[in-house]
Amino acid sequence: MDANVAQSPSLPRIGEPAPHFEAETTHGTLRLSDFEGSWLILFSHPADFTPVCTTEFIAFAEIAPELSKRNVQLLGLSIDSTYSHIAWVRTIKEKFGVDIPFPIIADLNKEVATAYGMLMPGESKTETSRAVFVIDDKGVVRAMIYYPLTTGRNMDEILRLVDALQTSDEHGVATPAGWRPGDKVIVPPPRTVEDAEARMAAGYECQDWFFCKRAL
Ligand code: BEZ
């Protein structure tokens, strides 16, 4: 590799440990390790005092109790100061009557945004994109979602994603397109000829040897 060629930082990958951080937030200094034992949704927004981000913050606050039931904490981030975050949170309370219960990282030096690949210079060099990292209770990245500046995220999908990941962990299954809690789940495809044979006799709902569902 040519030493003069700038290398991209290594970005988070599903199934690998989430990058460590220590950051100033609206709830004091926080590290990734502070969240060990609970799941974490680390998400970035482009900027404080912008309309789409305001709708998203209100929506994140609305699902925070549901996430909490699932042992999931929220942590926001943008390249704004703590003072800006505090002022924005106060404005959201004053104008919309909504308390923002989760901390927000003030990533002025872009350290966390860079480590997590939240910056998309093709879209903006100064604002983070709408990234979501689902990190499990062992600090492993389990899912990543990226949305552009102009599109607000869907909280139902974020909750659905958490439910799907936790269901897969608990039951050793996969979840089909559009799956919702209560729906049938996918029995993971067999790895051997013997497994393929065995599953046809296991009482699952099978269309074929590779496609079996079951109720939980
Ligand atoms: C917004 O949150 O409204 C927004 C932020 C950056 C670009 C476009 C919209």
Side-chain angles (χ1 to χ4, degrees):
M1 174 75 66
D2 183 339
N4 295 318
V5 175
Q7 290 199 27
S8 307
S10 67
L11 296 176
R13 287 198 282 212
I14 291 175
E16 294 185 3
H20 163 78
F21 63 79
E22 176 173 311
E24 295 312 310
T25 83
T26 47
H27 294 198
T29 303
L30 287 174
R31 295 159 205 82
L32 177 64
S33 55
D34 292 327
F35 297 91
E36 228 174 75
S38 65
W39 288 58
L40 172 66
I41 290 182
L42 170 62
F43 70 96
S44 54
H45 67 278
D48 298 346
F49 293 100
T50 52
V52 177
C53 299
T54 301
T55 63
E56 288 191 323
F57 260 55
I58 292 168
F60 273 119
E62 277 167 4
I63 64 163
E66 279 304 312
L67 289 171
S68 179
K69 284 184 204 161
R70 293 156 174 79
N71 189 30
V72 184
Q73 299 193 56
L74 282 164
L75 176 59
L77 175 149
S78 74
I79 304 166
D80 290 294
S81 68
T82 311
Y83 301 117
S84 168
H85 288 335
I86 292 169
W88 186 37
V89 162
R90 288 174 65 88
T91 301
I92 292 173
K93 172 73 180 166
E94 188 190 318
K95 305 286 183 195
F96 300 92
V98 175
D99 273 312
I100 301 302
F102 48 83
I104 313 162
I105 294 176
D107 198 30
L108 284 173
N109 60 11
K110 304 182 187 172
E111 234 173 63
V112 183
T114 303
Y116 277 81
M118 293 165 166
L119 285 156
M120 304 280 163
E123 207 182 23
S124 172
K125 293 188 172 51
T126 55
E127 299 159 309
T128 37
S129 64
R130 300 183 194 279
V132 179
F133 296 88
V134 183
I135 299 167
D136 72 15
D137 49 355
K138 291 164 200 73
V140 173
V141 176
R142 300 297 301 276
M144 299 183 284
I145 305 173
Y146 285 90
Y147 268 42
L149 299 179
T150 50
T151 310
R153 287 159 283 198
N154 184 317
M155 301 303 142
D156 285 345
E157 177 57 11
I158 291 172
L159 267 182
R160 195 189 77 87
L161 175 59
V162 167
D163 281 335
L165 288 167
Q166 294 186 344
T167 297
S168 291
D169 283 4
E170 194 179 335
H171 299 281
V173 296
T175 52
W179 176 87
R180 298 235 158 232
D183 291 352
K184 290 188 174 133
V185 296
I186 301 270
V187 184
R191 300 281 183 188
T192 63
V193 172
E194 201 183 352
D195 283 352
E197 203 58 47
R199 65 159 42 204
M200 297 305 281
Y204 300 141
E205 215 179 83
C206 295
Q207 265 68 39
D208 204 339
W209 62 270
F210 73 96
F211 192 104
C212 296
K213 285 186 179 176
R214 71 173 173 94
L216 283 179

